[in-house]
Amino acid sequence: MDGPRTRLSGRLPVPLPLLAAAALALPGSLHGAATYAGVPTMQLSAPLLVLLYGLAIVGAAFTLAWAAEAAQVDINAGIALALLALVAVLPEYAVDFVFTAQCGSAYATEGGSPEVCGLALANMTGANRILVGVGWPLVVLVSALAVRRAARGGTPPPVRRASLARTRVRIAPVMSVEVGFLLVATLYSLSLPLRSSLTLLDSAVLLAIFAAYAWRLARMPPTQPTLSGVSHWLGSHPRGPRRTWVAGLFAGAALVILASAEHFAESLVETGSDLGVDEFLLVQWIAPLASESPELMVACLLAWRLKGGDALGALLSSKVNQWTLLVGGLPIVFALTHVGLDGLPVDAEQRYELLITAAQSLLAIALLVTLRLTVRSALLLLTLFMVQLLASVLGSDRVHEVTILAMSGVYLALAVVLLALRRRAVAEVGHTAFVRDLDTVG
């Protein structure tokens, strides 16, 4: 695909915002890399480390947003958003795989450590529920605020007209692919709470779903992006330098995230522990919130720039790869570290967590099957999430268990009713996702 029509002549000075993002990312990423390498570093308190690594993740988030926009000059938007989602969610993969590897090692050397395995699944389910229960609503609310801001600022007519629909975020019809494959993965995931372990068979099924999703993404037609600021600077380079810059920024942001995110989560957990917060709650809610922060920041940046559809699309793509590639990878990591074919153990408590996570996912699909998410729907997702979160944090174990079962029932009942009422939309999404020639999708 050709680049933007407007090209900059001569040498292109690096934009100040890109330099600022690099400056934010450098200290934390260097400190994190040195820590991984065992190089002595300055001893800092946990709150200061949270700040240091948090700023690094912010810098990486800005860089990812610019790179993903500029990448659409050369690849279709679906693949660009999927790549953005995959890089942004790397912290969650790192944290979950570390917990799973510890679980496998414990089983190999000590004959089992259910507590560690429970932490691995708690982190995964917590991250998935934060993504849908907080991330999706956040994008819609930020988009609504951004459109109102643009309308008050005397924007061109297209933005003023968009302000009339400010209570909803629409995703492109071609993103029916993400919705369709997420529905398939979610329907399969509803069987996971019935298991006593996640096996290599589960890995095979989920990874096959992800492979089919990736193949379908490659069939999406190319689009001409609208670029501005740093992304326009990137897109204005000739093809060779442009691709080098975009690939370099993706790789650089990934390295920053890998060097910083796990330490960010650990420092946040340590800070919470110093304040007397329960370890399980820290692993299920605080650590995932930290590891999900890069993609949430990227999505909010896109939404604030009046690209709410791209923002929601990135989080939707992230949900697909977490619910397939991440979950499917856990039994493989366990098998490699356990050195056996046994599945990753799932205790009774984690079966409840898997149930409510799958139920929430089904409701999210039912709300998004029309390819738009309204403020009302976003607030519904946020409210239901806050109810389960408060029960988890403030209630007893019994209250937590009853709340999960009740909330799972609410999620599933609402999802079934909505899917029945929107059955034509479900059929249209399915046809577009799995059958239709994507070149004909508007």
Side-chain angles (χ1 to χ4, degrees):
M1 188 190 306
D2 293 331
R5 292 182 180 178
T6 302
R7 289 195 175 277
L8 305 178
S9 58
R11 298 193 62 176
L12 306 176
V14 179
L16 183 60
L18 184 55
L19 294 175
L24 281 178
L26 190 59
S29 56
L30 288 178
H31 192 281
T35 302
Y36 275 125
V39 177
T41 58
M42 182 183 299
Q43 296 298 314
L44 301 175
S45 65
L48 285 178
L49 289 175
V50 168
L51 177 62
L52 184 68
Y53 293 127
L55 290 176
I57 291 173
V58 169
F62 274 98
T63 303
L64 280 176
W66 294 323
E69 290 179 340
Q72 295 178 42
V73 174
D74 296 297
I75 60 179
N76 71 56
I79 294 178
L81 289 177
L83 181 59
L84 166 64
L86 186 60
V87 173
V89 81
L90 282 177
E92 184 55 37
Y93 280 76
V95 173
D96 255 325
F97 286 170
V98 166
F99 279 128
T100 305
Q102 292 174 351
C103 172
S105 298
Y107 266 80
T109 59
E110 303 170 14
S113 179
E115 294 80 7
V116 177
C117 296
L119 294 180
L121 290 172
N123 189 266
M124 181 273 291
T125 55
N128 270 272
R129 273 140 66 192
I130 287 172
L131 181 63
V132 172
V134 176
W136 290 22
L138 193 60
V139 162
V140 176
L141 297 176
V142 170
S143 295
L145 292 174
V147 172
R148 292 181 182 181
R149 168 186 58 86
R152 288 196 302 266
T155 55
V159 176
R160 288 203 300 271
R161 287 199 297 270
S163 68
L164 299 176
R166 62 185 179 274
T167 58
R168 67 192 65 193
V169 170
R170 299 179 183 273
I171 59 175
V174 75
M175 295 207 74
S176 296
V177 172
E178 276 80 359
V179 178
F181 277 94
L182 180 57
L183 177 59
V184 171
T186 297
L187 291 176
Y188 182 79
S189 72
L190 286 170
S191 69
L192 299 182
L194 305 177
R195 319 285 185 78
S196 59
S197 64
L198 299 183
T199 68
L200 293 176
L201 176 61
D202 296 317
S203 293
V205 172
L206 292 171
L207 294 182
I209 294 173
F210 179 81
Y213 162 65
W215 177 83
R216 193 66 171 143
L217 281 184
R219 314 294 297 176
M220 286 186 178
T223 57
Q224 183 68 37
T226 301
L227 306 179
S228 62
V230 175
S231 58
H232 180 264
W233 178 83
L234 292 169
S236 296
H237 283 78
R239 177 178 296 181
R242 178 179 67 242
R243 291 180 173 179
T244 300
W245 266 103
V246 170
L249 290 177
F250 267 120
L255 290 174
V256 169
I257 288 172
L258 287 175
S260 306
E262 186 179 352
H263 296 307
F264 180 51
E266 290 173 350
S267 301
L268 201 60
V269 168
E270 183 180 345
T271 301
S273 182
D274 291 342
L275 297 175
V277 182
D278 180 72
E279 179 188 27
F280 185 84
L281 297 179
L282 289 171
V283 169
Q284 184 167 40
W285 300 120
I286 303 300
L289 184 61
S291 59
E292 295 286 344
S293 59
E295 58 188 319
L296 296 182
M297 291 177 189
V298 170
C300 287
L301 287 172
L302 291 172
W304 189 246
R305 295 168 61 186
L306 300 174
K307 295 188 176 184
D310 285 348
L312 185 56
L315 293 188
L316 175 60
S317 182
S318 178
K319 175 65 177 176
V320 174
N321 73 57
Q322 284 195 42
W323 214 212
T324 55
L325 193 59
L326 174 59
V327 179
L330 296 181
I332 296 176
V333 173
F334 178 79
L336 291 174
T337 52
H338 174 52
V339 194
L341 298 180
D342 296 334
L344 175 66
V346 180
D347 61 22
E349 184 176 5
Q350 292 312 311
R351 285 197 283 272
Y352 288 129
E353 301 294 340
L354 286 168
L355 172 63
I356 194 170
T357 305
Q360 183 203 47
S361 181
L362 191 64
L363 176 58
I365 295 166
L367 292 172
L368 194 59
V369 76
T370 57
L371 305 184
R372 63 180 182 270
L373 195 63
T374 65
V375 167
R376 182 177 298 176
S377 297
L379 291 176
L380 174 63
L381 285 174
L382 182 60
T383 300
L384 293 175
F385 172 79
M386 291 306 299
V387 170
Q388 56 176 290
L389 176 63
L390 291 175
S392 175
V393 174
L394 302 178
S396 63
D397 290 343
R398 180 58 180 168
V399 169
H400 176 58
E401 180 180 315
V402 171
T403 301
I404 283 185
L405 289 174
M407 294 300 299
S408 296
V410 171
Y411 277 125
L412 291 173
L414 289 175
V416 169
V417 171
L418 281 174
L419 290 173
L421 292 175
R422 298 175 173 181
R423 55 189 178 276
R424 290 185 179 178
V426 174
E428 178 64 23
V429 163
H431 181 70
T432 302
F434 307 114
V435 178
R436 191 174 174 184
D437 182 356
L438 295 179
D439 285 328
T440 67
V441 179

